[in-house]
């Protein structure tokens, strides 16, 4: 076994200064909402409130798969409400620990399936990875705001490990149910963030202006006016996107039409409004010409 001081041609490698060229091209996480991504100016409270998220939107469970997903999520909310009560920032940390898992699990499984079958995945992997990254940014933001102690960090590790393995197995068994679970989890997340906002608006929680730089940079918030409430509004808007996306993914699996490419191309060609609502750019038609 080589020691930590292994040498190359008799010299210690200069790891710090000999960085491969590819690593200089840093990837900066991007928001999922086109209203945020395309804004030319920093967003204030009014702009965030004007984002249409349909906060009361609910997908009625129809199939047995839907009902299993729905009642599983409702049952999981009971101990969460009991444990956190009105500790909304700590609840958000735990919520985002779980929410950051499904996108990565789904992307991993679909990536491996694409390799096994030697065919395109239909355009899902990028979206799922983007979802996972977005939820991770939520967690990084709340971690900086809440500064969890060792006990809370231990609980986060335990919950994340358990949920990852359970969701991985669920996705292998029934991807449709897995995406429906995420859709309902996001519905509950919106309910939680609505309650969070009410507590701030009622004066029960301080609307702190101590907003971390990571949140200001990621959501393009106005650094001079950004508050805790703005962060909650931005996160809630993201959760609405994931709610709609995962319910849509579950529906596509149900009808056996998983490939997104032709449908997005058609939307681009036929509906200007759809293009705007989807936050698509003029480059999209070319990107969706990949062969299977």
């Amino acid at each position: 076994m080589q020691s930590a001081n292994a040498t190359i041609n008799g010299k210690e490698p200069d790891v710090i200064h000999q960085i491969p060229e590819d690593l200089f091209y840093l990837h900066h996480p991007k928001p999922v909402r086109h209203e945020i991504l395309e804004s030319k100016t920093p967003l204030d409270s009014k702009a965030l409130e004007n984002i249409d998220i349909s906060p009361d939107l609910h997908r009625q469970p129809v199939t047995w798969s839907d009902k299993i997903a729905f009642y599983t999520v409702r049952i999981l909310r009971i101990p969460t409400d009991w444990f956190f009560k009105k500790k909304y920032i700590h609840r958000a940390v735990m919520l985002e620990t779980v929410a950051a898992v499904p996108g990565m699990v789904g992307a991993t499984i679909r990536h491996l399936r694409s390799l096994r079958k030697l065919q395109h995945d239909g355009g899902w992997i990028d979206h799922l990875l983007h979802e996972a990254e977005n939820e991770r940014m939520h967690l990084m933001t709340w971690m900086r705001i809440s500064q969890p102690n060792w006990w809370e960090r231990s609980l986060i590790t335990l919950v994340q490990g358990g949920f990852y393995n359970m969701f991985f197995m669920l996705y292998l068994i029934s991807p449709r149910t897995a995406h429906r679970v995420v859709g309902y989890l996001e519905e509950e997340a919106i309910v939680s963030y609505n309650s969070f906002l009410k507590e701030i608006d009622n004066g029960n929680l301080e609307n702190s202006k101590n907003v971390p730089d990571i949140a200001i940079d990621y959501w393009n918030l106005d650094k001079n006016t950004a508050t805790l409430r703005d962060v909650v509004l931005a996160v809630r808007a993201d959760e609405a996107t994931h709610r709609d996306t995962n319910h849509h993914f579950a529906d596509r699996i149900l009808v056996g039409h998983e490939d997104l490419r032709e449908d997005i191309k058609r939307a681009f060609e036929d509906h200007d409004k759809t293009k705007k609502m989807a936050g698509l750019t003029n480059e999209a038609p070319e990107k969706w010409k990949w062969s299977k």
Side-chain angles (χ1 to χ4, degrees):
M1 180 181 295
Q2 291 184 332
S3 68
N5 295 321
T7 61
I8 300 177
N9 295 328
K11 297 181 180 180
E12 291 187 7
D14 187 359
V15 177
I16 303 301
H17 297 95
Q18 295 179 358
I19 302 175
E21 182 179 350
D22 180 62
L23 299 183
F24 283 98
Y25 297 94
L26 299 178
H27 169 72
H28 295 284
K30 294 182 179 180
V32 295
R33 301 285 311 199
H34 74 89
E35 298 96 336
I36 297 173
L37 188 61
E38 297 174 356
S39 178
K40 303 300 182 183
T41 59
L43 300 170
D44 57 15
S45 296
K46 184 177 181 180
L48 292 167
E49 289 172 350
N50 287 337
I51 296 177
D52 183 14
I53 66 167
S54 302
D56 298 323
L57 190 64
H58 168 60
R59 170 60 186 259
Q60 291 292 338
V62 178
T63 67
W64 279 107
S65 174
D66 294 348
K67 293 175 182 178
I68 290 172
F70 176 71
Y71 288 109
T72 297
V73 172
R74 293 303 296 268
I75 290 171
L76 289 175
R77 187 178 179 100
I78 295 173
T80 303
D81 287 343
W82 174 83
F83 185 83
F84 290 105
K85 297 182 173 64
K86 292 190 176 183
K87 298 178 180 178
Y88 288 104
I89 295 179
H90 293 83
R91 177 196 287 262
V93 171
M94 186 60 64
L95 172 66
E96 302 302 345
T97 298
V98 170
V101 168
M104 185 60 68
V105 169
T108 299
I109 292 176
R110 294 188 70 89
H111 172 72
L112 294 175
R113 188 180 73 175
S114 177
L115 297 179
R116 288 196 308 273
K117 294 188 174 183
L118 305 178
Q119 67 182 33
H120 198 280
D121 83 301
W124 290 41
I125 294 175
D126 282 346
H127 292 288
L128 292 171
L129 288 175
H130 196 186
E131 175 186 312
E133 179 183 67
N134 175 253
E135 299 286 13
R136 181 175 62 84
M137 294 302 291
H138 292 180
L139 179 60
M140 294 299 101
T141 297
W142 293 124
M143 290 281 281
R144 282 167 172 75
I145 292 175
S146 68
Q147 296 296 319
N149 57 34
W150 70 269
W151 156 247
E152 291 167 331
R153 289 175 181 270
S154 299
L155 184 60
I156 287 170
T157 301
L158 181 64
V159 171
Q160 184 189 76
F163 183 76
Y164 182 94
N165 286 284
M166 288 189 293
F167 191 82
F168 189 92
M169 292 303 299
L170 176 61
Y171 205 102
L172 286 176
I173 297 169
S174 176
R176 173 160 59 97
T177 305
H179 281 292
R180 194 69 78 195
V181 164
V182 179
Y184 287 129
L185 279 174
E186 299 296 358
E187 289 184 15
E188 294 298 329
I190 292 171
V191 171
S192 295
Y193 283 119
N194 284 341
S195 299
F196 198 160
L197 288 171
K198 287 180 181 178
E199 289 295 299
I200 294 174
D201 292 341
N202 292 335
N204 298 324
L205 284 175
E206 179 187 359
N207 189 21
S208 172
K209 291 187 176 182
N210 187 24
V211 177
D213 291 340
I214 188 174
I216 292 174
D217 293 340
Y218 183 65
W219 285 291
N220 189 26
L221 303 179
D222 189 332
K223 64 180 180 180
N224 296 317
T225 63
T227 63
L228 174 63
R229 189 175 187 277
D230 293 342
V231 174
V232 177
L233 287 169
V235 172
R236 187 184 66 164
D238 289 347
E239 305 297 10
T241 297
H242 303 319
R243 171 200 63 195
D244 299 341
T245 299
N246 279 279
H247 280 316
H248 182 73
F249 280 158
D251 290 341
R252 280 186 169 271
I253 296 173
L254 177 63
V255 300
H257 188 72
E258 297 186 31
D259 199 320
L260 288 165
R261 293 170 295 170
E262 287 301 318
D263 294 334
I264 289 181
K265 181 181 178 182
R266 189 179 306 112
F268 237 96
E269 293 172 346
D270 299 340
H271 303 290
D272 289 338
K273 183 178 179 181
T274 303
K275 288 189 291 184
K276 183 177 180 181
M277 291 298 292
L280 301 175
T281 68
N282 291 330
E283 299 174 356
E286 292 299 322
K287 293 181 179 179
W288 291 108
K289 288 182 180 178
W290 301 326
S291 60
K292 291 185 178 180

